[in-house]
Amino acid sequence: MDRSFLSNDTLIKASQKFVCIRLATYEDKKETAFLTKIYTGRSGELENTVFCLLTPDGKQPLSRAGRSPNFSFHSPSNLADEIVALSAKYPAKPVKANSSPVFPKIKNFRLGLNVASCDNLPCVVIIGKDKQEVEKTQAKLNEVIWSDEIAGRFVFCSTTKIDDLKDIQDAEGKTIQITAGILAIQPGTYGIDGTVLEAIKLDLDAKELGGKLISIAKAFEFKGKNHSQHVRSGNRQGIQWETEVPVTDPDSIRAMERNQANRKR
Amino acid sequence: MKFLTRSIAAAAFLIGCIMLLPIGWGEANPAKVETGVNRRIAWYGVLEDGLAEAKRTGKPIMLLSAAPQCAGVSGMW
């Protein structure tokens, strides 16, 4: 199997004709119910991964659902061709001039940092004293994040709770004390801590903000992870991620039970 | 014997994870340190947001879901 399936350039280009949604399995009740309707494995339960192409209302499948794209498509270019063909049947409708894309955030900071770690991407967190302040900053970011140089190169999330940042340190190893602003964070190996790459000032104009994000993306160093080593060393260090919804994938449950038993020894 | 069975089961699970690891979610060469992030798909991470964007634009949806932990260990799809 080609591990770079979704990193294929032709597919990435074609994906712009679709809205791409990647959920975190077992991290939201409503999303779990939605995914369970789309695909369950032989066990009849939601498994770790799901893939499907859907109509714009999200109600009808446009491809066979499965655990990953290569269950239905033999190559990235095969999936790209299908996306292009389907987009001709579902042409994008003209959007109102004053309408902006929906901001692509992860539902909370804890999950955002973990997703950024999984993706080997910098995590950009918007910090505000309340929802209004966060939304104002979000709107400003939304003006610049869809350029080719920025789109897909960050994981965005927000928080109004300073306590969320207790495991984030600055370059000198000090805990972050900030009540409003934007932080670009290098996620730790397990996505449960991180180091600030840059604190971005809120008074930057859109051009400056875009330039800042581009320079962070260019300078970002990502270290590939070896899957089995990562899981082994995570177990040794007692890393245990608490999911929002109980895991139902039978293979995962067995693996977690084995890990717990090993830790008790 | 029990140990062997357990080891085989653990290996099979890890291989399963890697096989399903779609796929560019966690890139790959462990020894390599790269600078700059290559072009990636711009994902919506919240269902409600993605559906709202699909409604706004009329575009179809590519839906993917993955657990941001493997056997309970975070930081890896």
Side-chain angles (χ1 to χ4, degrees), chain B residues 18-38:
Chain B
I18 292 163
M19 292 289 284
L20 285 165
L21 214 180
I23 15 196
W25 293 348
E27 303 302 314
N29 186 341
K32 202 173 171 188
V33 176
E34 293 177 35
T35 302
V37 180
N38 295 326

Side-chain angles (χ1 to χ4, degrees), chain A residues 34 41 70 147 153 177 188 191 204 215-216 234 240 242 246 260-261:
Chain A
F34 180 82
N70 53 342
S147 72
R153 288 170 161 91
Q177 297 294 332
L204 297 183
S215 71
I216 293 168
Q240 186 60 51
E242 296 284 331
Q260 276 166 6

